[in-house]
C-alpha cells in the first residue's frame, strides 16, 4: 500500500517533465545561438492546435505531436526571418508572435471546434508514456551536442560573439536559423503534448504561463542542458504537488494552489540570477547580427 | 517609405495621416482575408467593423469606454519602456487596483469623495509596490523583469478571483462578482455610458507627459533608458531609477483597474481586467516611448478590440483581435530592424 503511494507520488512528479523538457530545451537551443525566443507561449499554443488538427486528421497521437513539431517550426521560420534577417527588436518579435500564435490558434479552434477523440499515450515502461523517454532522448542529444561535438561550440560561439564567429568562417545566419527553427519545433511538441495528454483538448489560454515558465527554466539553468533537466524535474514536481494537494484538499483555496508554480518561478529565478549572475550567459543574446 | 517609428505629431500631420491610413488598410486586408476564410461576406463585415467602432454614437462610445483603461495601462507601460524596461505585469497590477478600489469603497464607511481619493491612493500604492518587486529584483540583482512581472500577474489574478468567488461574493447572481460600490462613489456619466473616467485618463496623460518631459526624475529615467552606463557614469543612481520607473508604472496600471471599477463595472468581478494589461503592451510599442502618441494608439487598439468583438454576431471569432494586434506589433517595428 505504502509502496503504491510512493510510486504514484513519483509518477505525478515525472508526468509534467516532457512538457518542460521539450519547451525549455527549445528555448535553450534558440538562446544559445543568440535568439531570445520570447514567443514560447504563442508557439506552444499553436503547437497545441496543430497537434489537435493532426489527431483529428490522422487519429494518431504520434502524428499529432509531429504536426505540433511542424507548427512550431513554422513559427521558427517566422521568428528567424524577423529577428535574424530583418533584425527586428527581439522582444517585439517575441510579443508579436505570442499574440499571433494565440490569435491564429484561437481562431482555428473557434471556427472548427476540434475535439480529441483518442486516448492519452499509454504507458510503456515503469508506467511512463513513450514521450517521456523521447524527451529524455532529446535531452541527451542536446547535452551531447553541446558538450561533445563541434556543432555545440559553433552554436555557443555564435551566441557569445557573432562577429568573431563570422570572421572564423561560421555562417551566423544559418546557425541562428537552424537553432531557432528546431528549437521552436521542440516548443511546438511541448505545446501539443500539453494539449493532447493533459488538457485533452484546447482552450485559447490553455498554456497558462507554462511557456514563460519554460523560458525561465532556460534562464535559471544558465543555459546548461543538465541544469534544464534538474529544473524541469523541480517545476514538474511543483506542478504535480499542486495538483495532488488540491485533490487532497488541505484548506488552501484552489486559486492560490494554482499559483504555486508561478511563485516558485519568481523565487527560483531570483535566487539563481542573484547567485550566478555572470555564469555562462550567451552575451550576444537578443542582439541582431549585421554583416558589414 | 514611411516608417512606423516616425508616427507622431512631431512628424507632421501628413505623415501621421499616411501611417494611420496604412494601419487601417492593413486592418481591412486582414479582416477581408479572415472573412473569406470563414466564408462570410467581406463587403458586409468590413463596413460593419467601422460602423460599430467609429461611425455610430453607440459604437464610438463603446470604443471610448475601452480606450479608458487601455490608455492608463498604456501610459503605465510607457513609463517603464522609457527606462528600457518591460512591465508585462500591468494585468496583475490592474487586478490589484480593482481589489483595493472595491475593497475601500465596500468596507469603509466614509464620505464618497474621501472614499474615491483614498481608494485611488491605495490602488496606486498597491500596484506600485507590486510593480516595484520586479523593479527591485532588477535593480538589486539584475533579475530579468519580463518573466517576473508575468508570473506576478497570475498571482494577483488568482487573488481577485478568490475574493469575488469567496469572501466578497454577492450570492444569487450565478457569476462570481462582488456587491456594487456605493452609489455616491460611482463616477458620473459623460455621455451615454461613457464615464468621467475617460477625462481622468486624459488628465493622467498630461500628468505623465509633464512628469517624463518636465521633471528631473522623469528626465533621469529617460536618460537611464537611453543609455544605462552613460547615466551611471554621469553620477545618476540608476538602481533607484530602475526601481522608480517600475514603481510608478505599477501604480499607474493599478489606476487603470480603478477606472474599470469607477467607470464601467462598479464592482469587482472575475475576468474584468479582460487582458487589457496585455493589449497595453501593443500600445506602448506603437507609441514607442512617446506619451503624446499613447492616446491615439490606445484608441486604435480599443477600436480593434471593440470592432472585432462586435463582429462575433456575423461569425468572426473574437480572438482574431490577438492576431491583428500581433501582426501590427511586428509590422510597426519592422522599421526598427533597418536601424544602422
Amino acid at each position: 500500500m505504502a509502496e503504491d503511494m510512493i510510486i504514484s507520488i513519483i509518477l505525478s512528479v515525472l508526468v509534467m517533465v516532457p512538457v518542460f523538457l521539450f519547451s525549455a530545451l527549445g528555448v535553450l537551443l534558440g538562446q544559445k545561438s543568440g535568439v531570445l525566443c520570447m514567443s514560447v507561449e504563442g508557439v506552444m499554443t499553436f503547437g497545441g492546435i496543430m497537434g489537435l488538427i493532426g489527431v483529428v486528421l490522422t487519429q494518431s497521437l504520434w502524428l499529432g505531436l509531429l504536426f505540433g513539431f511542424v507548427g512550431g517550426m513554422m513559427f521558427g521560420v517566422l521568428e528567424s526571418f524577423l529577428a535574424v534577417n530583418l533584425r527586428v527588436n527581439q522582444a517585439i518579435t517575441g510579443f508579436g508572435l505570442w499574440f499571433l500564435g494565440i490569435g491564429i490558434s484561437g481562431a482555428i479552434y473557434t471556427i472548427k471546434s476540434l475535439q480529441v477523440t483518442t486516448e492519452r499515450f499509454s504507458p510503456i515502461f515503469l508506467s511512463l508514456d513513450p514521450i517521456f523517454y523521447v524527451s529524455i532522448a532529446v535531452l541527451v542529444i542536446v547535452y551531447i551536442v553541446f558538450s561533445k561535438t563541434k556543432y555545440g561550440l559553433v552554436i555557443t560561439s555564435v551566441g557569445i560573439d557573432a562577429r568573431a564567429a563570422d570572421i572564423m568562417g561560421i555562417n551566423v545566419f544559418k546557425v541562428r536559423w537552424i537553432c531557432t527553427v528546431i528549437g521552436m519545433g521542440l516548443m511546438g511538441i511541448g505545446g501539443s503534448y500539453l494539449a493532447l495528454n493533459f488538457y485533452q483538448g484546447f482552450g485559447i489560454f490553455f498554456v497558462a504561463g507554462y511557456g514563460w515558465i519554460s523560458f525561465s527554466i532556460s534562464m535559471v539553468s544558465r543555459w546548461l542542458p543538465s541544469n534544464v533537466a534538474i529544473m524541469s524535474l523541480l517545476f514538474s514536481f511543483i506542478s504535480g504537488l499542486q495538483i495532488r494537494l488540491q485533490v487532497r484538499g488541505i484548506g488552501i483555496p484552489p486559486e492560490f494552489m494554482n499559483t504555486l508554480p508561478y511563485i516558485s518561478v519568481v523565487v527560483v529565478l531570483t535566487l539563481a540570477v542573484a547567485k550566478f549572475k555572470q555564469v555562462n550567459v550567451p552575451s550576444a543574446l537578443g542582439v541582431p547580427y549585421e554583416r558589414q | 517609405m514611411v516608417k512606423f517609428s516616425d508616427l507622431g505629431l512631431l512628424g507632421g500631420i501628413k505623415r501621421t495621416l499616411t501611417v494611420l491610413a496604412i494601419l487601417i488598410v492593413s486592418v481591412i486586408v486582414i479582416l477581408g482575408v479572415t472573412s473569406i476564410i470563414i466564408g462570410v461576406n467581406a463587403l458586409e463585415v468590413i463596413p460593419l467593423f467601422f460602423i460599430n467602432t467609429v461611425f455610430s454614437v453607440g459604437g464610438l462610445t463603446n470604443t471610448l469606454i475601452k480606450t479608458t483603461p487601455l490608455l492608463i495601462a498604456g501610459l503605465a507601460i510607457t513609463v517603464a519602456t522609457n527606462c528600457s524596461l518591460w512591465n508585462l505585469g500591468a494585468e496583475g497590477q490592474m487586478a490589484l487596483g480593482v481589489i483595493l478600489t472595491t475593497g475601500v469603497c465596500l468596507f469603509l464607511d466614509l464620505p464618497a469623495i474621501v472614499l474615491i481619493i483614498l481608494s485611488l491612493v491605495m490602488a496606486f500604492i498597491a500596484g506600485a509596490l507590486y510593480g516595484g518587486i520586479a523593479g527591485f529584483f532588477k535593480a538589486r540583482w539584475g533579475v530579468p523583469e519580463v518573466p517576473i512581472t508575468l508570473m506576478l500577474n497570475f498571482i494577483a489574478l488568482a487573488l481577485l478571483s478568490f475574493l469575488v468567488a469567496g469572501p466578497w461574493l454577492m450570492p444569487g447572481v450565478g457569476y462570481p462578482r462582488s456587491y456594487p460600490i456605493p452609489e455616491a462613489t460611482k463616477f458620473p456619466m459623460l455621455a451615454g455610458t461613457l464615464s468621467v473616467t475617460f477625462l481622468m485618463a486624459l488628465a493622467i496623460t498630461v500628468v505623465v507627459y509633464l512628469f517624463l518631459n518636465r521633471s528631473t526624475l522623469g528626465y533621469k529615467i529617460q536618460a537611464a533608458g537611453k543609455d544605462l552606463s552613460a547615466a551611471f557614469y554621469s553620477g545618476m543612481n540608476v538602481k533607484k531609477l530602475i526601481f522608480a520607473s517600475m514603481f510608478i508604472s505599477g501604480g499607474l496600471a493599478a489606476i487603470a483597474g480603478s477606472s474599470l471599477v469607477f467607470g464601467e463595472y462598479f464592482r469587482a468581478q472575475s475576468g474584468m481586467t479582460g487582458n487589457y494589461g496585455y493589449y497595453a503592451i501593443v500600445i506602448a510599442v506603437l507609441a514607442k516611448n512617446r506619451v503624446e502618441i499613447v492616446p491615439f494608439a490606445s484608441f486604435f487598439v480599443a477600436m480593434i478590440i471593440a470592432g472585432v468583438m462586435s463582429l462575433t454576431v456575423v461569425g468572426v471569432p473574437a480572438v482574431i483581435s490577438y492576431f491583428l494586434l500581433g501582426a501590427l506589433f511586428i509590422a510597426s517595428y519592422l522599421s526598427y530592424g533597418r536601424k544602422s
Side-chain angles (χ1 to χ4, degrees):
Chain A
M1 196 57 206
E3 278 172 20
D4 283 358
M5 221 178 112
I6 291 166
I7 289 172
S8 78
I9 288 172
I10 292 172
L11 290 182
S12 73
V13 166
L14 293 176
V15 89
M16 286 292 283
V17 167
V19 176
F20 289 126
L21 265 188
F22 279 125
S23 333
L25 286 174
V27 178
L28 179 132
L29 207 56
Q31 292 192 338
K32 265 291 204 185
S33 75
V35 179
L36 208 47
C37 296
M38 269 195 185
S39 47
V40 217
E41 191 89 5
V43 177
M44 283 177 77
T45 314
F46 191 62
I49 196 73
M50 284 296 281
L52 214 57
I53 292 173
V55 166
V56 168
L57 287 181
T58 63
Q59 299 298 326
S60 153
L61 284 170
W62 285 94
L63 287 175
L65 291 190
L66 186 69
F67 266 67
F69 184 58
V70 173
M73 291 213 292
M74 282 151 71
F75 265 73
V77 169
L78 216 56
E79 166 111 26
S80 322
F81 180 65
L82 290 167
V84 179
N85 294 49
L86 296 179
R87 297 187 290 277
V88 179
N89 180 320
Q90 292 190 8
I92 308 296
T93 327
F95 301 152
L97 291 183
W98 171 25
F99 278 60
L100 214 64
I102 288 177
I104 294 182
S105 320
I108 295 173
Y109 185 68
T110 321
I111 296 164
K112 292 282 177 217
S113 80
L114 306 155
Q115 296 299 328
V116 188
T117 45
T118 48
E119 296 290 302
R120 290 159 205 250
F121 282 100
S122 48
I124 52 161
F125 180 61
L126 289 176
S127 349
L128 287 163
D129 62 32
I131 302 306
F132 177 82
Y133 298 102
V134 174
S135 70
I136 298 293
V138 171
L139 170 72
V140 172
I141 292 169
V142 173
Y143 177 78
I144 289 174
V145 164
F146 277 110
S147 59
K148 301 274 188 278
T149 69
K150 77 167 198 194
Y151 302 110
L153 286 175
V154 166
I155 297 171
T156 311
S157 66
V158 168
I160 289 176
D161 191 339
R163 174 136 297 135
D166 194 17
I167 292 166
M168 292 298 289
I170 296 167
N171 188 339
V172 174
F173 298 97
K174 194 171 133 193
V175 171
R176 287 192 172 165
W177 261 84
I178 293 173
C179 287
T180 313
V181 170
I182 295 178
M184 294 223 160
L186 289 178
M187 295 171 207
I189 299 185
S192 52
Y193 183 71
L194 188 67
L196 298 175
N197 214 41
F198 288 93
Y199 207 78
Q200 290 269 291
F202 184 84
I204 293 164
F205 299 105
F206 84 101
V207 181
Y210 278 74
W212 287 103
I213 295 179
S214 309
F215 182 83
S216 313
I217 287 178
S218 165
M219 211 164 248
V220 167
S221 310
R222 308 323 276 167
W223 299 277
L224 289 172
S226 48
N227 287 357
V228 168
I230 298 168
M231 283 299 149
S232 300
L233 209 59
L234 175 69
F235 282 105
S236 178
F237 169 72
I238 292 165
S239 314
L241 182 77
Q242 160 232 324
I243 295 166
R244 283 197 76 80
L245 289 179
Q246 269 188 40
V247 173
R248 291 282 290 277
I250 52 160
I252 299 174
E255 286 91 349
F256 293 119
M257 290 308 301
N258 283 336
T259 63
L260 203 58
Y262 311 122
I263 296 174
S264 46
V265 167
V266 174
V267 174
V268 173
L269 188 64
T270 308
L271 287 178
V273 175
K275 187 132 176 59
F276 308 104
K277 204 170 182 179
Q278 295 303 328
V279 179
N280 202 25
V281 184
S283 45
L285 188 57
V287 184
Y289 179 60
E290 190 173 8
R291 267 194 123 155
Q292 285 178 331
Chain B
M1 200 187 91
V2 178
K3 287 184 179 174
F4 197 94
S5 55
D6 296 338
L7 166 64
L9 302 176
L10 303 173
I13 290 174
K14 195 178 157 198
R15 172 165 281 163
T16 311
L17 287 179
T18 321
V19 174
L20 261 181
I22 293 174
L23 281 179
I24 288 170
V25 168
S26 57
V27 167
I28 291 175
V29 170
I30 293 177
L31 275 179
V33 172
T34 318
S35 344
I36 291 165
I37 292 172
I38 62 170
V40 293
N41 188 359
L43 293 176
E44 193 184 320
V45 166
I46 293 166
L48 199 59
F49 177 86
F50 289 101
I51 291 169
N52 286 342
T53 50
V54 189
F55 296 115
S56 66
V57 176
L60 188 62
T61 312
N62 192 21
T63 311
L64 289 177
I65 289 173
K66 292 234 180 319
T67 309
T68 309
L70 282 174
L71 174 53
I72 307 176
L75 288 169
I77 296 182
T78 305
V79 171
T81 53
N82 263 297
C83 196
S84 286
L85 295 166
W86 289 105
N87 177 13
L88 303 196
E91 185 76 9
Q93 291 143 10
M94 277 173 77
L96 277 189
V98 168
I99 292 168
L100 264 293
T101 310
T102 321
V104 168
C105 289
L106 278 184
F107 298 110
L108 295 184
D109 194 17
L110 294 166
I113 186 73
V114 181
L115 276 181
I116 289 172
I117 292 169
L118 185 66
S119 56
L120 284 174
V121 170
M122 293 296 282
F124 186 89
I125 291 172
L129 289 176
Y130 210 54
I133 295 175
F136 176 74
F137 286 174
K138 173 88 179 180
R140 184 76 178 75
W141 296 296
V143 183
E145 76 283 5
V146 168
I148 302 285
T149 47
L150 261 159
M151 293 298 131
L152 292 179
N153 278 344
F154 293 102
I155 300 165
L157 288 171
L159 183 63
L160 175 60
S161 48
F162 165 73
L163 286 175
V164 294
W168 291 6
L169 178 70
M170 181 165 97
V173 285
Y175 188 78
R177 44 157 56 170
S178 72
Y179 284 95
I181 57 175
E183 201 62 39
T185 55
K186 294 179 181 174
F187 277 31
M189 291 299 157
L190 200 60
T193 46
L194 179 64
S195 161
V196 172
T197 47
F198 180 64
L199 295 182
M200 183 176 89
L202 291 180
I204 292 175
T205 314
V206 176
V207 172
V208 172
Y209 181 84
L210 292 177
F211 167 71
L212 280 176
N213 295 299
R214 295 281 183 275
S215 77
T216 322
L217 181 60
Y219 176 75
K220 281 183 176 172
I221 284 177
Q222 287 202 2
K226 289 227 166 56
D227 192 335
L228 200 63
S229 42
F232 177 74
Y233 288 116
S234 66
M236 294 178 194
N237 186 347
V238 281
K239 290 186 171 178
K240 201 183 92 187
L241 293 175
I242 289 174
F243 177 75
S245 64
M246 284 304 275
F247 185 84
I248 295 167
S249 177
L252 280 176
I255 298 290
S258 308
S259 85
L260 283 174
V261 176
F262 283 134
E264 200 179 339
Y265 289 88
F266 309 115
R267 52 156 60 81
Q269 69 184 48
S270 83
M272 72 187 268
T273 47
N275 289 338
Y276 287 130
Y278 296 117
Y279 295 132
I281 306 166
V282 187
I283 295 168
V285 170
L286 286 180
K288 208 197 143 198
N289 292 357
R290 284 154 76 179
V291 176
E292 65 272 26
I293 310 297
V294 174
F296 300 97
S298 322
F299 183 77
F300 190 70
V301 170
M303 201 175 127
I304 290 180
I305 298 166
V308 172
M309 212 173 268
S310 75
L311 291 182
T312 45
V313 287
V314 293
V316 177
V319 71
I320 277 292
S321 55
Y322 280 94
F323 178 80
L324 274 165
L325 294 175
L328 275 182
F329 231 122
I330 293 160
S332 68
Y333 249 65
L334 278 178
S335 55
Y336 243 50
R338 299 293 180 194
K339 194 172 66 173
S340 59

